[in-house]
Amino acid sequence: MTTGIRALVVDDEPYARRKLRGFLEAHPDAGAIEEASDGVAAKEKIASFRPDLVFLDIRMPGLSGLELADALGRESPPYLIFTTAYDAYAARAFELDAVDYLLKPFDHVRFNLAMDRCLRRMAQGERLPNPGLLRQLLHSLEQATLKLPAAAASPVLGVRAGNELRFLRPQEVSYIRARGDYVEIAAGVERIRAREHIGDLEQRLQGDGFVRIHRSVLINKAHIAAIRPKRKGDQEVILDNGETFVSSAAYKANIKALIGQDKS
C-alpha cells in the first residue's frame, strides 16, 4: 500500500515536470506522483487521482493555473503550491500562510521550504480559503501596479496577520523578530503580529536589503543608524527608530559584511 503525500505536478513544460518529480521522489514524505501537461488534463486528474498536494503552473494554454484553482470549489480542495515565472511583484501575491509559490528557477532548498510549510499546515488541519480569493488577490495587485508610476512600483511582502492579508513594502519594514510560532514585523509605527516563520521571510526577502543578525532577528540595512561593539565580540545594532538589537556569534560574518570587514 502506497503511503505518503499524493502529489500532482501540473506544467506544460516537460523539463519543469521532470525537475519537480525529481525533487518529490527525493523527499521522504512523498508518496504516489502523477503529472499533467495542461489545466484541462489536470482537472480530470484531480478528480480521479485525488491528490493531497498539487504543484500548479500559473501560465498554461487552455486553462491557466489560476482558472483551475478557481474551479476546484470549496469542498476539500487539495493543497496548492504555485510555480511561476511571474515577476517578483506579482509573485508576492502567493506569499501567504494559506498558499505557497515557487518562483522559477528554484532549487531543492526552496522546494523543501515549500514542502515543510505545506506539511505544517496539513499537520495542523489548516485548509485553504476559497481558491477564488487567489484570483481576486492577483487581480488587485496587478491593478495596483497599473495605477502606480513606474518609479514607484516595487515588490510587496504579503503576510497573514490575524484574519487579514497584509501587504507591506519591504523598504518600510525596519526589522522582523521571531516570537515563537509568530513574528513581529516593524513597519513604521506599526508592530504587526504575523503567522510566519523568520526563516521563510529571510528567503522571501533576499535581495531586498535584509540581513540576519540573530536566529530571531532580521533587520533592514536601510534602517541601521549605528553599530557599536559589545563585549565578547558581539555588536549592538541601533536602528533609526531608536530600537536596538545585539548580534549573536553565529551571525558574526553578516555583521562583518555590514561594516565592510568581509575577511576575518
Side-chain angles (χ1 to χ4, degrees), residues 5 58 87 91 182 218:
I5 295 174
I58 291 176
D87 63 271
Y182 292 81
L218 188 63

Side-chain angles (χ1 to χ4, degrees), residues 23-234:
F23 286 162
L24 277 165
E25 289 174 344
H27 197 281
D29 293 297
I33 305 168
E34 293 283 349
E35 299 179 18
S37 60
D38 59 64
V40 175
K43 187 175 181 181
E44 296 174 355
K45 187 74 72 172
I46 288 171
S48 60
F49 179 54
R50 299 184 65 82
D52 304 305
L53 171 63
V54 177
F55 288 88
L56 187 57
D57 187 25
I58 291 176
R59 285 182 172 173
M60 294 183 295
L63 186 67
S64 74
L66 289 173
E67 290 168 333
L68 175 59
D70 193 30
L72 291 179
R74 302 187 183 191
E75 294 184 8
S76 300
Y79 287 82
L80 301 176
I81 295 179
F82 284 101
T83 62
T84 177
Y86 265 51
D87 63 271
Y89 187 90
R92 303 287 182 164
F94 305 102
E95 294 185 359
L96 309 174
D97 188 62
V99 67
D100 204 351
Y101 83 102
L102 292 169
L103 182 61
K104 298 175 181 178
F106 55 87
D107 57 18
H108 72 280
V109 175
R110 183 63 183 88
F111 169 84
N112 286 334
L113 280 172
M115 284 290 289
D116 289 346
R117 294 180 72 190
C118 188
L119 287 168
R120 284 196 298 268
R121 289 194 294 270
M122 287 181 175
Q124 294 167 4
E126 296 180 15
R127 299 305 308 174
L128 295 176
N130 177 9
L133 174 63
L134 303 177
R135 290 184 69 192
Q136 297 171 22
L137 205 54
L138 183 60
H139 178 72
S140 296
L141 284 178
E142 288 175 337
Q143 291 303 307
T145 305
L146 293 174
K147 294 176 183 177
L148 288 171
S154 64
V156 293
L157 176 68
V159 296
R160 181 174 288 278
N163 294 323
E164 291 185 328
L165 302 177
R166 295 293 304 273
F167 295 95
L168 310 171
R169 296 194 181 281
Q171 63 267 32
E172 296 174 351
V173 176
S174 55
Y175 70 81
I176 299 171
R177 175 164 46 191
R179 298 286 197 184
D181 292 333
Y182 292 81
V183 293
E184 176 186 87
I185 302 174
V189 297
E190 282 194 275
R191 297 298 178 267
I192 300 163
R193 190 168 182 255
R195 191 166 188 176
E196 300 283 350
H197 292 264
I198 194 166
D200 290 346
L201 293 176
E202 182 181 19
Q203 288 287 328
R204 289 157 56 183
L205 288 166
Q206 283 185 354
D208 287 319
F210 284 76
V211 61
R212 192 87 167 261
I213 66 165
H214 189 279
R215 67 187 301 269
S216 62
V217 179
L218 188 63
I219 59 173
N220 187 340
K221 291 187 290 186
H223 288 270
I224 297 176
I227 299 177
R228 297 172 183 164
K230 298 282 287 183
R231 296 178 59 185
K232 299 181 181 180
D234 291 339

